[in-house]
Amino acid sequence: MGNTNKTAGGWGFLALELDGVARAADGDTAGGATALAAAVLAAESAGFHAVTFKDSPAEGRLNALQRAAFAGPLTRSLVLIPEVDTAYTEPFHASTQLASLDYVSGGRAGWIATAEDDPAAAAAVGRSYVAGDGLAQEAAASIEVSRRLWDSWEDGAVIRDVASGRYLDAGKLHYVDFDGPGYSVKGPSIIPRPLQGQLPVLVPASLVGAGLVEPSGVDAVLVSAPTAELLAEEIRDVRERLGGGSPAVVVELDVVLDARGQGAAQRLGDESAIGKPGSGGTDGARRARFAGSAAELADLLTEVLEVADGVRLHPARFDVDFEELSRLVLPELRRRGVLAPVPQDGTFRDLLGLERPASRYAATAVGN
Amino acid sequence: MTQHSRAKYQPSGKLQFGIFFQGVNSGTIWKAAESGSQTDFESFRRIAQTAERGLFAAFFLGEGLRLREHLGRPHELDVAGRPDAQAMLAALAAVTSNIGLVATQNTTYNDPADLAHRLSSLDLLSGGRAAWNIVTTDNAWTGANFRRGGYLDHADRYTHAEAFVETAKRIWDSHDPATGQWQRVLHEGQHYTVDVTPRLPRSAQYRPVLFQAGDSPEGRNFAARQADVIFSAHPKLDDALDFRRDIVERTLDAGRGANDVKIMPASEFILAATPEEARDKKAWVRSLQIGPQQAIAYLEQFWGRELGEYDPDGPLPEIDPVVEETSETRGSGFHGAKARQLADQWRAEAKEKGLSIRQFVSAKTSRVDATFNGSYAEVADRLVEHARTGAVDGFNISPWLIPTGLDDIVNHLVPALQERGVYPTEYAGSTLRENLGLATPERASASAPTESAPLEARV
Ligand SMILES: Cc1cc2nc3c(=O)[nH]c(=O)nc-3n(C[C@H](O)[C@H](O)[C@H](O)COP(=O)(O)O)c2cc1C
């Protein structure tokens, strides 16, 4: 099968989902900050390219963007990708928060744009429940608002020109005048253009397509399939559906490894050891689950990274599975030359092989 | 709630410092060689760590949800472009260990369940160091960036804010440590409804500390009922004493103890080794804060027209403003004044004092009474009076340089205050509540009704 990967200088990247780390539990009033710091440092030194942070409502789960921001100053090369909902959040806030994450991480931020499909999430903020294509439309609108706001300060808008007494050049600041489904956003942003210009935006494949989130507005799609065997076919279908200049593909994969003297099959039979099976994909789609040895996982990932640009691993038990991943799986994948090099002092865009784009407003007339 | 007798206010005799990173204002000098970035994380890390070295209780970030404008286009002359408060504070939590992290967040353009969850997250991540500076900015100009637009009447801002804060407190109270369960929180009000089952436990300081900034009588009553600390606008000793008396009265009326609400006014420090050097430094600071362009722009904002042809070193313009009401587009605080009346008043005032445009604007914007200027020893002596009389519990210092603007204060003023016995010599604890000397809130009883009486309807 032809390698259509976009990732720079290698086959693909590995992102590690950190859910379960730093869950605030009774009596743990530190909110797991120590565990979070340890986990991101361990992920970075194990050679993971990125970590992701789930955000849909769950007991003890702290706000994802804040966990990512906390990790920013602690890490050097690790890409930090929080989920931020688009259906029930304020697009203006989301845009500012994500741009801020890019600043505190030195350009290592990404965004998994989710659309919460949950009446409870609607009720929490007193909005009507959005379902079906409405969710994709909310996601499309919110992403468009962020992208415009990120561009609304052109590069170099902060001029610090002592002679004219101007800190800013208003000619490089732009109203975004977004008119969307039921709301509008004026702009400009309240924070300068993110370090990366535009943060890479990852979107569940189910939300992407004609009339949904346009593929051109997406840097990577998250692809799920019910089983690991079906992943290659699903990736092919998604690429076909999204057409030629389609976004990068990142595969969602649950992982249960033989560990600590227990076989994966054994661990699977013991729910307390692995958490609930099955669903819980970013888009509610079923996520494939791998259960087996480290060597078998290395084989699967080698196959998958031949057709995908990256994999997001969801360890069943962070501490248990992370140990096996870092000790056995990543070294083997590196030995096989399957992994993209970790960009040193690079950005998430560098990892994805994306240029830093000019602001969409850069060519327009002054003051517009 | 425990019943307090109308016991007298007891001064603690101590002061605390906070640093207010403004990010959008004319007080921050960007024209000096040592003026650093307003957005790079290193600026924030440097100043937060300096503050922590000086045992500051809190690091504040301001908020403004629309870029300031001047005569219909973005205002160019002052620093602007401030990171999101909570994202920045979460990052700072990773590189600090004792200082409180205070996020200014608006009640009008946030949702209570979402904001309460994010503040709780910050509180947990920081080991109990988070606070919320509650502001109520409500104008439709800001609303143009949000889903709901300008939905709120100015008159309703505190009714709304209070219902919002009550809801947030119920969310933070909803966790029952005995059962590990959360109570569902319902609120149906005039402006929003909330139906949420919260999902975070209490933090090391129970819940985020609440600051309030807003000086109207409604704002003060709101603070007296809800806040732990007031971020006030009255640092000068006699004003501060008046304000303290007023707040103690209101706090007692609200059924709380005389010492339950702390006061930390906004302030600026321009210090040097000798009084002469300090005076020179102040002149230098002022000249960089209000340059000729800023002086003209300041007047243009009230005149509603371009005044570029006027000499900044000459008298105030003799022509009249073209607007009846001044615009709100600089953010909060500028609404309401009748422009022509104001212009007459200002011309008379400038003439009487013999001030040029630049001198007049500099005096107007620098809030003379918010500035402590002098040698380290002089200023330390003045501050001892604030501590002794109980006029304030501390100061929220706006540095005029980023990121080195606290160096003088931490290296020289703090030791001078410590020698005088009015400033802490170590952190009292690891949470903000401990460091501010605030009591832990009592959890609302687990059997409290889950359905709230609609507070907005009651008021
Ligand atoms: C010292 C001080 C600092 C303030 N900082 C902010 C701020 O950063 N962002 C904001 O939106 N409002 C800020 N405000 C405005 C008030 O919080 C409030 O929303 C406004 O003054 C209206 O309330 P009021 O009528 O009670 O004054 C500040 C007010 C004071 C006194």
Side-chain angles (χ1 to χ4, degrees), chain B residues 156-168:
Chain B
D156 289 343
R157 69 197 182 289
Y158 280 111
T159 326
H160 175 67
E162 190 140 15
F164 190 122
V165 171
E166 293 272 9
T167 305

Side-chain angles (χ1 to χ4, degrees), chain A residues 24-26 28-33 36 55-63 65-67 69-70 73-74 86-93 96-97 100-101 103-104 120 123-127 138 153 158 160-171 173 175 182-192 195 366-367, chain B residues 30-31 35-41 45 63-67 69 72-84 86-88 90-95 109-111 113-114 117-125 127-128 144-148 175 177 179-182 193-196 199-204 293-294:
Chain A
D26 284 343
D28 168 24
T29 50
L36 176 58
D55 202 43
S56 46
E59 278 185 20
R61 185 182 282 158
L62 304 179
N63 175 262
L65 189 126
Q66 285 187 24
R67 281 182 288 144
F70 179 86
L74 299 175
T86 55
Y88 302 111
T89 50
E90 281 288 353
F92 191 85
H93 287 320
T96 313
Q97 289 161 6
S100 303
L101 177 64
Y103 277 96
V104 303
V125 297
R127 301 244 320 273
E138 288 287 351
W153 291 50
V158 176
R160 295 173 175 262
D161 183 35
V162 177
S164 67
R166 294 182 310 153
Y167 179 80
L168 299 177
D169 177 356
L173 300 168
Y175 295 105
Y183 68 94
S184 60
V185 176
K186 182 72 190 170
S189 181
I190 48 174
I191 178 171
L195 296 175
V366 163
Chain B
W30 56 264
K31 295 172 184 169
S35 302
S37 168
Q38 293 287 313
T39 33
D40 285 358
F41 183 69
R45 183 209 300 265
E63 180 200 63
L65 296 172
R66 182 153 172 189
L67 195 65
E69 287 174 359
R73 62 201 303 255
H75 178 62
E76 294 180 306
L77 306 180
D78 297 337
V79 297
R82 172 176 41 205
D84 172 73
Q86 291 201 61
M88 179 54 73
L92 287 174
V95 297
Y109 299 110
N110 277 295
D111 290 302
D114 173 61
H117 179 70
R118 286 189 291 125
L119 286 164
S120 242
S121 297
L122 181 65
D123 204 20
L124 286 158
L125 269 179
N145 282 333
F146 295 95
R147 287 179 185 268
R148 301 175 72 182
H175 185 244
T179 62
Q181 300 297 308
W182 284 266
T193 62
V194 174
D195 175 357
V196 67
R199 49 196 187 274
L200 294 180
R202 63 178 61 190
S203 77
Q293 297 89 353
Q294 271 111 334

Side-chain angles (χ1 to χ4, degrees), chain B residues 210-225:
Chain B
L210 297 181
F211 284 69
Q212 180 272 356
D215 204 28
S216 61
E218 299 91 330
R220 293 180 183 200
N221 284 336
F222 168 74
R225 288 193 296 268

Side-chain angles (χ1 to χ4, degrees), chain B residues 127-340:
Chain B
R129 294 190 280 140
W132 172 19
N133 181 34
I134 306 162
V135 298
T136 59
T137 305
D138 54 65
N139 57 65
W141 175 76
T142 300
N145 282 333
F146 295 95
R147 287 179 185 268
R148 301 175 72 182
Y151 70 96
L152 192 65
D153 263 354
H154 185 64
D156 289 343
R157 69 197 182 289
Y158 280 111
T159 326
H160 175 67
E162 190 140 15
F164 190 122
V165 171
E166 293 272 9
T167 305
K169 283 182 174 172
R170 288 172 56 226
I171 288 172
W172 294 325
D173 275 348
S174 69
H175 185 244
D176 183 348
T179 62
Q181 300 297 308
W182 284 266
Q183 265 179 355
R184 187 171 161 198
V185 173
L186 299 173
H187 171 83
E188 288 220 26
Q190 188 188 338
H191 296 296
Y192 63 90
T193 62
V194 174
D195 175 357
V196 67
T197 303
R199 49 196 187 274
L200 294 180
R202 63 178 61 190
S203 77
Q205 63 170 354
Y206 189 92
R207 68 181 182 214
V209 170
L210 297 181
F211 284 69
Q212 180 272 356
D215 204 28
S216 61
E218 299 91 330
R220 293 180 183 200
N221 284 336
F222 168 74
R225 288 193 296 268
Q226 301 289 351
D228 299 306
V229 188
I230 297 177
F231 183 4
S232 86
H234 309 284
K236 208 174 120 212
L237 186 59
D238 45 355
D239 296 344
L241 281 166
D242 285 347
F243 186 72
R244 168 72 77 191
R245 277 188 282 271
D246 181 68
I247 292 301
V248 165
E249 201 57 32
R250 291 175 198 267
T251 308
L252 291 169
D253 288 348
R256 299 172 71 195
N259 275 64
D260 282 6
V261 179
K262 311 276 178 198
I263 300 174
M264 295 179 76
S267 57
E268 179 189 53
F269 287 79
I270 306 177
L271 309 173
T274 67
E276 299 72 39
E277 280 174 74
R279 258 199 311 277
D280 291 349
K281 200 178 204 172
K282 183 174 156 194
W284 177 77
V285 168
R286 292 288 180 257
S287 73
L288 289 174
Q289 286 173 324
I290 299 295
Q293 297 89 353
Q294 271 111 334
I296 296 293
Y298 184 82
L299 293 188
E300 284 176 342
Q301 184 199 337
F302 293 93
W303 261 251
R305 63 199 302 168
E306 295 198 14
L307 300 170
E309 71 273 25
Y310 287 86
D311 177 5
D313 295 315
L316 266 60
E318 69 284 357
I319 55 166
D320 275 328
V322 295
V323 284
E324 261 301 295
E325 294 279 326
T326 59
S327 74
E328 301 199 47
T329 53
R330 282 291 191 93
S332 55
F334 285 96
H335 45 78
K338 291 267 185 293
R340 179 173 314 209

Side-chain angles (χ1 to χ4, degrees), chain B residues 302-382:
Chain B
F302 293 93
W303 261 251
R305 63 199 302 168
E306 295 198 14
L307 300 170
E309 71 273 25
Y310 287 86
D311 177 5
D313 295 315
L316 266 60
E318 69 284 357
I319 55 166
D320 275 328
V322 295
V323 284
E324 261 301 295
E325 294 279 326
T326 59
S327 74
E328 301 199 47
T329 53
R330 282 291 191 93
S332 55
F334 285 96
H335 45 78
K338 291 267 185 293
R340 179 173 314 209
Q341 203 180 327
L342 191 80
D344 286 342
Q345 205 180 308
W346 282 6
R347 277 190 289 251
E349 191 181 328
K351 195 164 177 192
E352 186 195 315
K353 296 182 183 162
L355 299 177
S356 68
I357 288 178
R358 208 169 152 182
Q359 290 163 329
F360 179 81
V361 173
S362 185
K364 268 276 171 273
T365 54
S366 62
R367 305 249 343 275
V368 184
D369 58 351
T371 303
F372 292 89
N373 177 225
S375 71
Y376 308 122
E378 275 178 341
V379 170
D381 287 338
R382 279 180 67 191

Side-chain angles (χ1 to χ4, degrees), chain A residues 31-54:
Chain A
T34 316
L36 176 58
V40 292
L41 289 172
E44 184 165 75
S45 65
F48 280 97
H49 299 81
V51 287
T52 63
F53 301 86
K54 281 177 83 73

